[in-house]
Amino acid sequence: AARRDRADAATLTALRREVTLGVAVPLIANVDQLPKEAGLGAFLDGVTGPVVVSSAMPGFELGTERSVVRVRWPLPDVAIRQAMWTRAAGDPTGDLQGLAMRYRVGAGVIARAVVSARAQREHGPLDAADLAAGLRHNIAEDLGGLAQPVVVTQSWDDLVLSDDTRDHVTTLIGRIRHGHKVLKDWQYRSKMARGTGVPALFSGAPGTGKTMVAGLIARELDLELYQVDLSQIVSKWVGETEKQLAKVFDAAEQGHVLLLFDEADALFGQRSADVKSAVDRYANLEVNYLLQRVESFGGITILTTNLESGIDSALKRRLAAHIVFELPDEDEREILWQRLITTESAPLAANLDLLQLARTFPKMSGANIRNAALAAAFLAAAEHATTITQDHLMRAARTEYRSMGHVLSERSGRA
Ligand SMILES: Nc1ncnc2c1ncn2[C@@H]1O[C@H](COP(=O)(O)OP(=O)(O)O)[C@@H](O)[C@H]1O
Ligand SMILES: [Mg+2]
């Protein structure tokens, strides 16, 4: 199944013929990637003698009547991984132990990463940074368009949050940062019933900064951020979501990755307590699978949702953190206006009244204010104004407000 396109029923039939004719033990790699129609179970039943199969999914059901011996193939530990890097890359320089610790990969992935790293560096010996870059190329490749890398450009200074929410975010970061020490070194893992993955849920109205905070956390912890588009996975691979999710997690497992399932309601929205239709049953299976993988995933997962009610209780129980993002209050809106209109070179008028903006347009989220601030700048530019004035800001805010479906009273609308 390494050549996935060819791993079908015909391949298995041909393989059975060869096995029957000669003395050979077939090895079928990555059986979890085989299409159902390939008839793996029937193949296994039909072959006499031993067969070896490999799967990235520990509990994968082979569908055979034969007896099965399952061997768990553990990931090499940090010291072995370090030795593998040293050997594969010809004694590279730099922090190899750091590299081995950060990326949970085996020999095959290491070999591929070395080839990629060599291709990128014209001459001279490879160092740990080259190897990490080589590895990242391959992770992106394995994610196969199911998840997109996100470049984070904002900083904590740009963020406006209530103290409460900010405290929760800080706690979550601490939990991730010290996970290794507490769970491994201090062995608290043994006290945990389930996996040690850190699934966090961010919920709240659209535009309150959920995606932004996920990005900032990734940046703070020096993790690669990959955004998984669940709605795409769910609609494009109906009934195959589980397989696609497996792919995402397998690839992410290797890297120093924070997985962001943005607007996860695409999946959770479908979950229902009393399973009626076949579609529902699928959705339930997939959510269960997602939850299970999120937990056993060695990395960090953040799910975001705009719906509070749609969040399943089974999911809530399993969360390491649930952070609720509120719409900004008046003070926060004033600060948001301030932060979002200010740049090093924006020509702002001297007499701006941001409190007036915060008061006149009470229901705006951070994203709404960002839109309005940008629109005001475009208004000023289009009018060849020398400064961005209060009038530009008010007009832009009013337009944004209307697009949000709010109508202003005469008084505030004129302000
Ligand atoms: N709390 C906030 N503080 C600062 N900027 C914000 C905040 N919330 C939203 N923004 C601005 O709006 C943009 C979009 O917000 P986003 O994080 O996508 O919201 P959500 O994911 O909750 O829908 C952000 O990139 C940022 O520019
Ligand atoms: Mg978002």
Side-chain angles (χ1 to χ4, degrees):
R3 295 173 62 180
R4 274 162 214 174
D5 47 344
R6 290 201 29 207
D8 51 16
T11 319
L12 288 182
T13 311
L15 183 61
R16 175 152 72 210
R17 210 170 301 129
E18 273 181 50
V19 173
T20 318
L21 290 175
V23 185
V25 176
L27 164 65
I28 309 176
N30 303 321
V31 283
D32 45 301
Q33 296 295 331
L34 275 174
K36 282 230 161 59
E37 315 81 71
L40 176 68
F43 168 80
L44 294 173
D45 289 343
V47 175
T48 49
V51 183
V52 182
V53 302
S54 76
S55 162
M57 289 165 75
F60 187 78
E61 199 188 333
L62 298 171
T64 176
E65 306 275 299
R66 303 183 58 178
S67 53
V68 178
V69 180
R70 285 181 190 264
V71 181
R72 199 116 161 92
W73 207 270
L75 195 74
D77 66 20
V78 175
I80 294 177
R81 298 207 289 269
Q82 189 178 341
M84 284 171 163
W85 281 112
T86 304
R87 183 180 300 177
D91 231 346
T93 54
D95 180 12
L96 287 185
Q97 191 186 13
L99 186 70
M101 266 167 64
R102 288 161 66 115
Y103 298 102
R104 303 157 38 85
V105 293
V109 180
I110 288 176
R112 273 168 76 200
V114 171
V115 174
S116 299
R118 282 253 160 75
Q120 295 273 311
R121 178 177 268 282
E122 310 241 309
H123 31 241
L126 295 172
D127 67 17
D130 296 327
L131 293 169
L135 200 51
R136 284 197 295 269
H137 285 293
N138 288 301
I139 290 173
E141 187 60 33
D142 290 343
L143 284 166
L146 296 173
Q148 266 67 47
V150 181
V151 179
V152 182
T153 53
Q154 289 156 320
S155 76
W156 292 108
D157 292 338
D158 298 317
L159 182 69
V160 181
L161 279 188
S162 69
D163 290 345
D164 218 29
T165 311
R166 192 177 282 270
D167 282 350
H168 279 125
V169 173
T170 311
T171 308
L172 175 63
I173 292 176
R175 181 149 185 179
I176 299 169
R177 201 193 289 281
H178 305 298
H180 191 85
K181 186 194 231 167
V182 172
L183 298 173
K184 277 240 175 87
D185 298 352
W186 295 352
Q187 299 185 345
Y188 276 92
R189 164 174 275 175
S190 63
K191 305 281 180 212
M192 294 174 69
R194 300 204 189 92
T196 54
V198 181
L201 178 73
F202 293 176
S203 68
T208 47
K210 301 181 293 294
T211 306
M212 179 179 177
V213 168
L216 292 174
I217 291 177
R219 188 164 151 162
E220 171 88 16
L221 296 167
D222 197 18
L223 296 163
E224 304 282 324
L225 176 67
Y226 281 91
Q227 182 167 342
V228 184
D229 186 349
L230 267 182
S231 59
Q232 216 214 7
I233 291 188
V234 172
S235 61
K236 203 158 151 192
W237 284 280
V238 180
E240 294 256 299
T241 307
E242 188 172 313
K243 223 183 245 178
Q244 302 307 323
L245 286 174
K247 230 190 253 176
V248 170
F249 278 107
D250 287 346
E253 197 87 60
Q254 308 173 349
H256 206 57
V257 170
L258 191 160
L259 274 182
L260 173 63
F261 288 88
D262 218 7
E263 305 188 9
D265 5 274
L267 206 48
F268 301 122
Q270 297 178 28
R271 194 182 163 99
S272 53
D274 54 335
V275 181
K276 288 184 215 94
S277 66
V279 177
D280 276 350
R281 200 153 344 126
Y282 252 134
N284 274 286
L285 285 177
E286 281 153 1
V287 174
N288 284 329
Y289 177 74
L290 176 68
L291 293 177
Q292 185 197 319
R293 278 307 295 256
V294 161
E295 272 180 345
S296 61
F297 177 49
I300 322 304
T301 322
I302 293 178
L303 311 157
T304 76
T305 175
N306 296 331
L307 314 161
E308 191 66 50
S309 56
I311 303 162
D312 181 86
S313 58
L315 167 65
K316 272 197 181 158
R317 271 199 308 279
R318 293 161 109 137
L319 293 170
H322 177 189
I323 304 181
V324 179
F325 286 67
E326 308 279 0
L327 282 168
D329 64 18
E330 190 175 288
D331 292 344
E332 287 156 5
R333 284 195 304 277
E334 189 183 357
I335 304 172
L336 277 164
W337 278 106
Q338 177 67 47
R339 303 251 167 109
L340 286 161
I341 58 171
T342 309
T343 73
E344 264 174 37
S345 48
L348 297 173
N351 59 344
L352 296 179
D353 183 354
L354 301 180
L355 184 58
Q356 186 198 16
L357 286 157
R359 286 214 173 119
T360 313
F361 305 99
K363 293 188 179 119
M364 286 181 126
S365 69
N368 295 136
I369 294 175
R370 179 204 55 183
N371 294 345
L374 199 64
F378 275 111
L379 276 179
E383 292 171 6
H384 307 288
T386 48
T387 57
I388 301 169
T389 63
Q390 185 73 8
D391 180 57
H392 293 130
L393 290 167
M394 289 297 287
R395 273 154 62 202
R398 229 172 277 142
T399 307
E400 175 71 16
Y401 220 58
R402 231 174 280 132
S403 77
M404 295 160 59
H406 294 302
V407 182
L408 290 170
S409 67
E410 262 316 272
R411 192 187 54 80
S412 55
R414 284 265 178 76

